[in-house]
Amino acid sequence: MDHPMQTPRVVITGIGVVTSIGHDIESFWSSLLAGQSGIGRVSRFDPSEFTCQVGSEVRDFDPTLYMDAKEARRSDRYTQLAMAAAKGAIKDGDLDVTRVDKTRFGVLVGSGIGGMETIEIQYDRLTKMGPRKVSPFTIPSLIANIASGVVAIELGAKGPNFGLVSACATSAHAIGEAMRMIRTGDADIMLAGGSEAAITRLSYAGFCSMKAMSTSRNDDPKRSSRPFDKTRDGFIMGEGAGIVIIESEEHARARGARIYCELAGYAATCDAYHITSPDPTGEGLALCLNNSLKDSGTAATEIGYINAHGTSTQLNDKTETSAVKEVFGDHARNLLMSSTKSMTGHLLGAAGAIEVAATIKVLETGEVPPTINYEYPDEECDLNYVPNKKTTANVKAALTNNLGFGGHNASVILKTL
């Protein structure tokens, strides 16, 4: 296919992740390839009265390694995780921020929920001790754009900056929109991704009430997230952050950066169907996939790997499979498609960014992480999900999918240079 007119070419040069299975890209990637689950019994609150009692928590995390102790105390956990991922990306990308034109350096860090823990803590203070005991930092801590703002303040980034909110498609949208800003010349370099820290009582109560989370393996947490498996019964919540450095190829080469891959295409659509359920026809996601292929100038047959949204819910996994078969036709059988949520859980607004990170590493290394806990095939989910053990493949083009409550869809396409 002819490559559409795109000036300039956009590349990814740094990766920062903070997850239950690694606080940097190297440990995260080695854990994925080993099929290591980060899911365990929830420790951030007593989960005994909840129908789902397991989660994928970031353990042994010290925010003062990444930000001033006073600033850390004033910030919600989701902002702390975002700062850690941002600093990780800068380190990985060998980016000297003092040598960047700050007016052309932007930050797009989204969150599906924002400061949920802050809301709960401060509401508890309000009801028990009255309004005078509510922290003056309550509002700036809980709003869903503040991670983007705090990262930019720390780095002096004065370019495009806002917080995206599209539920579980948030950070994929952030990465795609940052790509467009580079293409249109609004910025030379962007930090983009997402952060989430919603393992709290209220979040669990809400998701459990709507019967979205797995309840069948509280006694065996590491086997609870099982995307595409016939016995899947809901998602497992994760927390963490993922942020990548996105810049024009010209800017990257001028600063001597190591280039991971091209950020080649992106699309966003809406099912316009239901507030929580995906359209069972897969029409909205299929349109998103087709549009991202068109945007990147990529033929469907060129895609070798898909990092699936793969939430381990009954509806998502069969709908996503159906959409992939619709778009890729006979080539769907040749694709490798895995859900790393089987190991990380579902990071909600941060999911897309850590899955982009994993997909970048597939292109770089030729190794493909598995979908663990795949034991019982589902006749409606009949593609190659890389069951249980990693594999190898020479992948030149890959994509990630993310879907969010509200019907939001996002697809991001990455290619080797």
Side-chain angles (χ1 to χ4, degrees):
M1 295 176 66
D2 293 332
H3 202 283
M5 290 297 291
Q6 295 176 1
T7 305
R9 177 183 270 179
V10 181
V11 298
I12 293 178
T13 57
I15 310 171
V17 295
V18 183
T19 71
S20 65
I21 58 172
H23 294 192
D24 55 50
I25 186 60
E26 292 82 9
S27 56
F28 168 71
W29 181 239
S30 62
S31 296
L32 286 181
L33 293 181
Q36 179 181 326
S37 172
I39 298 169
R41 185 173 176 83
V42 168
S43 67
R44 295 193 63 76
F45 61 89
D46 179 0
S48 56
E49 61 183 321
F50 295 82
T51 54
C52 179
Q53 300 172 7
V54 302
S56 194
E57 297 175 320
V58 175
R59 298 176 187 267
D60 303 318
F61 175 70
D62 180 359
T64 64
L65 296 175
Y66 311 99
M67 59 199 302
D68 176 76
K70 183 184 289 187
E71 186 67 37
R73 285 195 302 273
R74 295 172 173 178
S75 298
D76 188 85
R77 183 172 170 85
Y78 100 95
T79 299
Q80 296 171 354
L81 293 167
M83 185 65 80
K87 292 284 183 72
I90 287 167
K91 180 181 178 182
D92 182 63
D94 195 24
L95 177 63
D96 182 351
V97 297
T98 67
R99 303 185 67 179
V100 172
D101 180 348
K102 298 294 183 67
T103 67
R104 300 188 55 76
F105 178 21
V107 180
L108 294 188
V109 179
S111 182
I113 294 178
M116 180 63 91
E117 192 169 62
T118 293
I119 293 170
E120 292 185 35
I121 290 170
Q122 297 303 325
Y123 182 74
D124 189 56
R125 293 180 71 164
L126 172 66
T127 55
K128 290 180 178 176
M129 295 183 285
R132 293 181 183 276
K133 294 299 183 181
V134 171
S135 168
F137 297 102
T138 298
I139 302 304
S141 292
L142 67 86
I143 51 181
N145 64 297
I146 203 67
S148 224
V150 168
V151 169
I153 291 165
E154 174 74 10
L155 302 176
K158 297 181 179 180
N161 186 297
F162 48 89
L164 287 86
V165 181
S166 51
C168 306
T170 293
S171 54
H173 283 145
I175 288 168
E177 294 301 323
M179 177 198 76
R180 288 180 173 172
M181 289 174 176
I182 301 293
R183 282 184 182 175
T184 58
D186 290 336
D188 294 327
I189 185 165
M190 299 286 297
L191 284 176
S195 183
E196 206 77 84
I199 297 181
T200 71
R201 286 172 53 82
L202 182 56
S203 293
Y204 265 61
F207 279 118
C208 288
S209 180
M210 66 185 291
K211 297 180 167 54
M213 299 177 78
S214 173
T215 60
S216 63
R217 292 178 175 84
N218 287 325
D219 59 345
D220 193 4
K222 294 190 183 307
R223 294 179 63 237
S224 57
S225 182
R226 39 203 315 109
F228 305 108
D229 183 272
K230 193 175 182 69
T231 64
R232 67 190 184 276
D233 72 323
F235 80 91
I236 300 296
M237 193 186 297
E239 63 176 0
I243 294 177
V244 293
I245 300 175
I246 300 169
E247 52 191 312
S248 66
E249 182 182 18
E250 180 183 11
H251 188 273
R253 295 201 185 282
R255 72 177 185 88
R258 178 266 325 274
I259 294 174
Y260 276 113
C261 64
E262 180 183 3
L263 177 51
Y266 157 70
T269 63
C270 185
D271 285 358
Y273 173 76
H274 188 270
I275 57 171
T276 58
S277 298
D279 182 345
T281 69
E283 180 183 322
L285 179 57
L287 177 63
C288 194
L289 288 165
N290 276 318
N291 287 352
S292 65
L293 289 167
K294 182 179 179 181
D295 183 58
S296 67
T298 305
T301 52
E302 294 178 66
I303 300 294
Y305 171 68
I306 295 176
N307 189 298
H309 191 53
T311 57
S312 189
T313 63
Q314 283 291 331
L315 283 176
N316 175 89
D317 296 3
K318 66 181 181 182
T319 300
E320 188 172 11
T321 298
S322 175
V324 168
K325 290 195 285 191
E326 170 69 24
V327 171
F328 290 91
D330 292 341
H331 182 59
R333 304 289 171 188
N334 302 322
L335 287 165
L336 297 171
M337 181 168 161
S338 64
S339 173
T340 45
K341 288 184 179 73
S342 58
M343 295 169 273
T344 65
H346 189 356
L347 273 66
L348 309 181
I354 68 163
E355 288 154 15
V356 163
T359 306
I360 292 166
K361 295 298 286 186
V362 170
L363 293 173
E364 182 193 33
T365 66
E367 295 189 282
V368 180
T371 304
I372 68 168
N373 300 322
Y374 186 85
E375 297 175 289
Y376 304 99
D378 182 340
E379 57 275 9
E380 293 186 283
C381 298
D382 56 353
L383 298 177
N384 182 354
Y385 305 113
V386 194
N388 302 312
K389 292 189 181 300
K390 70 175 184 178
T391 190
T392 56
N394 183 20
V395 177
K396 299 295 187 184
L399 68 83
T400 65
N401 288 326
N402 290 102
L403 293 70
F405 285 179
H408 309 295
N409 302 304
S411 295
V412 173
I413 293 183
L414 305 164
K415 292 172 142 180
T416 58
L417 281 180

